[in-house]
Amino acid sequence: MSEALLITGCKQLLTLRGPVPRRGRALRDPGIIPDGALLVRDGRIVAVGTQKAIERRKDTRRAKKLDLGGGVILPGFVDSHTHLVFAGNRAEEYEQRISGATYEQIARAGGGILSTVRKVRAADADVLFARASRWISDFAAYGTTTVEAKSGYGLSPTSEVKILRVLAGLRCTQRLEIVSTFMGAHVVPVEFRNRPDAYMDLLIHKVIPVVATEGAEFCDVFCDRGAFTVEQARRILTAGRACGLAPRIHAEQLARTGAARLAVELHAASADHLEKVNAADIRALAASDVTCTLLPGCCFHLGLAHYAPARKLIDAGAIVALATDFNPGTSPTLNMQMVLSLACTQMRMTPAEAIAAATINAAYSLRRADRIGSLEVGKFADLAVFNLEDYREIPYYFGVNHCRLTMKRGSVLHGSSKMQEG
Ligand code: NIG
Ligand code: FE
């Protein structure tokens, strides 16, 4: 039998055990075990409980030992919405916005997403790869163990495939788990400016059929004012589904377009943003299995007061998840702890709701809730250790990184640990 690892010294072990996905009041129970311990074998959890109970098991005697010496332990964060592969930055636009220009004005003038597209097209794959690898280490340092990553800064067949291959390369070299999403429908590229239908045809007939073979699992569309219409999004997502890509949608961020209702109609895995949803949209989302992925980093970075109505969504019974939306234009952060702080103070989610949204519900939206998102027997030992006494301190001390150790499938991704032979 392979070697086991006994992890002890978990002052507060948040298991997130319970119903999947989490809705309503069930989001408030993080399944805490005080003075907890875990037994791990082959990267999976074999036992979880109080330290006393776990240490009584015979199979712990010869296990390697890792004493965490206190701290709060959570399932590793599942960041279910990022645009990981990009080049350059948009600090200049940041400054322009501070001086009064809006995100959409900058985009209409040829900046915004299209300015990052120019840089990504010009960048070699190995440069994109090296940069993304560094970001991946940073994600791990903040307690994230799984990252969804979208293409969408290429917008030509070769550049989109270049991004998806960077992601496939990262999957082979990084232990942090990376889930690829194809997002060729981010905006219409400049060479198709007056011919959006020709770009749609290119995506549907030439690009989508090949991206499923490049490791993409999902297809996403930016369905919003200045990007793609509901009708265009329906066509693209339907074509994606026919090639095995499950739909996700950027919905109701800049304007209320009906994209959230499209997500419900298509049984999308996720509808993301949702700042502009109306009461009927909330009812429709709540009655569906679509995960509502909220991205408060965008409102924070863009200086907008209109955060998504998390409270109304949760109280109506919707499945709510949280993610960073890490990207150079609207949310240049990869810190899920900061996202929890924003969710709590700006969207009135409780710390327990925010943690469930950032772990088990995000895992559900990535179709991985059977493997990750909670610390339960049979699941991967993906966890993050925080130098704190109470989990509520994670959002409370905002902008501070409390994570001292991150583990993926039982091996250390970030931080140091002294393991003792059994
Ligand atoms: O999720 N809204 C569309 N896409 C990104 C922004 C991308 C960018 O500005 O570069 C988002 O906010
Ligand atoms: Fe996004």
Side-chain angles (χ1 to χ4, degrees), residues 150-162:
K150 305 173 196 300
S151 69
Y153 288 124
L155 309 186
S156 69
T158 48
S159 306
E160 285 293 301
V161 167
K162 177 169 75 176

Side-chain angles (χ1 to χ4, degrees), residues 113-136:
I113 293 170
L114 289 177
S115 77
T116 302
V117 168
R118 286 191 288 276
K119 291 175 195 147
V120 168
R121 286 181 176 183
D124 286 338
D126 50 357
V127 173
L128 296 173
F129 181 87
R131 184 125 189 267
S133 301
R134 285 208 303 279
W135 294 131
I136 291 288

Side-chain angles (χ1 to χ4, degrees), residues 81 83 90 103 113 153 186 222 250 253 273 325 327 329-330:
H81 182 143
H83 303 253
R90 305 237 291 274
Y103 178 75
I113 293 170
Y153 288 124
H186 202 175
F222 184 16
H250 281 64
Q253 179 190 15
H273 285 288
D325 196 9
N327 78 77
T330 61

